[in-house]
Amino acid sequence: MPVPRLRRISRFPEPAATGTVTIRATPADAYRVVSDPPVMIRLSEEAHRARWLGGATVAAVGARFRGHNRNGLRRWVTTCRITDAEPGRRFAYEVTAALGVPISRWQYDIAPTAEGCTVTETNWLRVPLWFIPFAVLITGVSDRIGINNANIGTTLRRLKQHLESPVPGSADSAADSTEHGGRRVG
């Protein structure tokens, strides 16, 4: 007698959440930030720590990193494998939970504009239907699509601020201070 296969959400049917921001920065600068998980976690809402695995130190297809996430008092860990690493253009990774359970795919698409670039962050849910109650219990989130949309908006606002803010002590920082009456803008 064959073992029944558990149904799961189709792999990457339609994006669950997405957002786009225009940034006064080069595509290369935007890629450098979005493709560095230990840097991106400072801009994220749920992720609070990331570290490279297996000797990886930079984004490359097949490289992995561990993500440490939180929601209030709840904590969980995921493993992420990079699927796309095209400098200045695209960075993407797939997320799995313990025992290799697929969770999601995150993708950052970068396109040049006249004054910088746009960054589009997209999320696809990949979680099997049987795992959803466990995911809700672990994360405390029953509306994953709504939360991911809100978190994408927050991350993209922070990315824009991070990339457009002058580095303290730089020529741009001094020019901004003079031009705007000594207050920092970004």
Side-chain angles (χ1 to χ4, degrees), residues 52-110:
W52 292 105
L53 298 173
T57 58
V58 295
V61 173
R64 295 177 316 125
F65 62 94
R66 173 112 344 111
H68 296 262
N69 307 285
R70 66 180 170 207
N71 177 23
L73 297 175
R74 297 172 192 265
R75 305 284 189 265
W76 65 99
V77 177
T78 58
T79 300
C80 306
R81 185 182 59 80
I82 297 173
T83 60
D84 301 77
E86 301 173 40
R89 190 174 166 301
R90 174 177 287 160
F91 176 70
Y93 57 92
E94 294 181 356
V95 180
T96 58
L99 305 174
V101 175
I103 300 298
S104 63
R105 172 183 171 88
W106 290 90
Q107 181 171 302
Y108 297 85
D109 289 299
I110 304 164

Side-chain angles (χ1 to χ4, degrees), residues 42-160:
R42 293 183 295 188
L43 309 176
S44 174
E45 195 63 21
E46 278 186 339
H48 70 97
R49 190 170 47 141
R51 68 179 177 83
W52 292 105
L53 298 173
T57 58
V58 295
V61 173
R64 295 177 316 125
F65 62 94
R66 173 112 344 111
H68 296 262
N69 307 285
R70 66 180 170 207
N71 177 23
L73 297 175
R74 297 172 192 265
R75 305 284 189 265
W76 65 99
V77 177
T78 58
T79 300
C80 306
R81 185 182 59 80
I82 297 173
T83 60
D84 301 77
E86 301 173 40
R89 190 174 166 301
R90 174 177 287 160
F91 176 70
Y93 57 92
E94 294 181 356
V95 180
T96 58
L99 305 174
V101 175
I103 300 298
S104 63
R105 172 183 171 88
W106 290 90
Q107 181 171 302
Y108 297 85
D109 289 299
I110 304 164
T113 65
E115 295 186 11
C117 66
T118 60
V119 176
T120 300
E121 183 177 7
T122 307
N123 169 252
W124 289 264
L125 295 179
R126 301 178 54 227
V127 65
L129 294 175
W130 65 266
F131 191 74
I132 291 173
F134 297 106
V136 171
L137 184 65
I138 292 166
T139 67
V141 174
S142 59
D143 179 12
R144 177 49 61 190
I145 292 172
I147 289 297
N148 284 358
N149 266 310
N151 289 348
I152 284 173
T154 299
T155 299
L156 292 176
R157 277 191 304 280
R158 290 173 180 168
L159 177 66
K160 178 180 177 71

